[in-house]
Amino acid sequence: MDRYADLFGLDEDLPSPPTSDLDRDSSDLSSLLQPLTLAPFRSPSFSPTSFLLSHRHTDLADLRAELDGLEEEVRAELGGLIERDYGEFVGLGRSLGGVGGMVGEVKGGLEEVKAGVEGIATRLKTTVDEIDRLLAEKAAVRADMKLARLLMGYAQALGELETDLRISSPNGVENHVNDSAESNTSLHQLQVHAESFTNLTYLRQKIPQDHPFSAACQSRFNSVETTLMADLAAGLREAAKSDTDKTRLMGILKVYRELGKAGEATGVLQSIR
């Protein structure tokens, strides 16, 4: 029985002397190069939190993979040990005949060893569950950060396009007007504004439809779209009435097609005739 207790290290380890922060960090870094062993899980004072802190330089996914492998190793060794040694002791008891009590005592020792190994396996599972929880929290934080960056990008793009289109802000204050003397109905300005609107629409589609920020910005988005289509219509009328501005006419019609509004261009041209 003592032989199996020594094998699985069930005796309580002596406490280690205190170490400095520098020694502790050096030990953590050196542990990255060493495979996991059963030693940390044999201690009665084992704590999943302390174990994770001591491996804070190791990627959580990699640590979980190592723990899964270690758990399988423990279970395989336990099964082989119980099957081999229990069979030997049962055979010994039968051959001795009158020492059946000894066999029962040895069997009890094996059960004690089995309980110890199962305790180690339980601690391994607790650590794996803690890693799963931390991985889930990490994924949730990353998703929140990604959404926050998306909302900030959408708000910035919306504000810039409102400024370029000379639209008043929601509080009624006129946005800073672009200092360029170029008209909003020039081909270049229409192309720039249409490209900005396409990017704005792309960002808006990535925001969850039920998100309150999307609903709060809906009226501003509608105002931007209405203003851009009015500028396009004005530019198209000017180009269509000019006999020498065919390049501008074709360019504006292309902008309509890229926005998926070719039908509206047809309606504007028909209204001129």
Side-chain angles (χ1 to χ4, degrees), residues 199-221:
N199 178 64
L200 181 68
T201 303
Y202 170 76
L203 294 175
R204 179 172 175 265
Q205 291 173 346
K206 296 182 67 175
I207 300 174
Q209 294 182 355
D210 58 347
H211 197 282
F213 184 81
S214 179
C217 295
Q218 183 63 48
S219 61
R220 295 173 61 190
F221 179 86

Side-chain angles (χ1 to χ4, degrees), residues 148-187:
R149 287 193 294 267
L150 173 62
L151 296 179
M152 291 175 62
Y154 178 71
Q156 180 178 354
L158 180 60
E160 289 176 352
L161 190 51
E162 285 176 329
T163 298
D164 292 341
L165 293 173
R166 300 176 173 86
I167 300 176
S168 299
S169 61
N171 57 11
V173 178
E174 187 75 18
N175 284 326
H176 175 70
V177 178
N178 193 325
D179 293 333
S180 172
E182 190 174 8
S183 169
N184 270 7
T185 59
S186 69
L187 177 58

Side-chain angles (χ1 to χ4, degrees), residues 78-190:
L78 174 62
L81 177 65
I82 297 300
E83 181 179 354
R84 182 187 72 245
D85 292 342
Y86 184 69
E88 291 179 359
F89 286 120
V90 170
L92 177 61
R94 288 175 178 174
S95 65
L96 294 178
V99 291
M102 182 185 296
V103 175
E105 180 182 350
V106 173
K107 179 180 178 181
L110 288 175
E111 292 296 332
E112 182 180 348
V113 173
K114 178 181 178 181
V117 176
E118 288 179 344
I120 293 175
T122 299
R123 292 174 182 175
L124 280 171
K125 184 178 185 304
T126 300
T127 302
V128 171
D129 291 343
E130 181 71 6
I131 291 176
D132 285 340
R133 184 184 66 80
L134 292 175
L135 286 173
E137 289 182 358
K138 184 178 180 181
V141 170
R142 285 182 174 176
D144 289 342
M145 292 176 62
K146 182 178 179 181
L147 178 59
R149 287 193 294 267
L150 173 62
L151 296 179
M152 291 175 62
Y154 178 71
Q156 180 178 354
L158 180 60
E160 289 176 352
L161 190 51
E162 285 176 329
T163 298
D164 292 341
L165 293 173
R166 300 176 173 86
I167 300 176
S168 299
S169 61
N171 57 11
V173 178
E174 187 75 18
N175 284 326
H176 175 70
V177 178
N178 193 325
D179 293 333
S180 172
E182 190 174 8
S183 169
N184 270 7
T185 59
S186 69
L187 177 58
H188 176 260
Q189 286 288 62
L190 290 173

Side-chain angles (χ1 to χ4, degrees), residues 223-246:
S223 179
V224 164
E225 182 178 23
T226 300
T227 302
L228 175 60
M229 297 311 299
D231 288 346
L232 277 171
L236 183 59
R237 290 190 185 93
E238 293 173 0
K241 292 178 181 179
S242 173
D243 295 332
T244 61
D245 210 0
K246 300 302 180 184

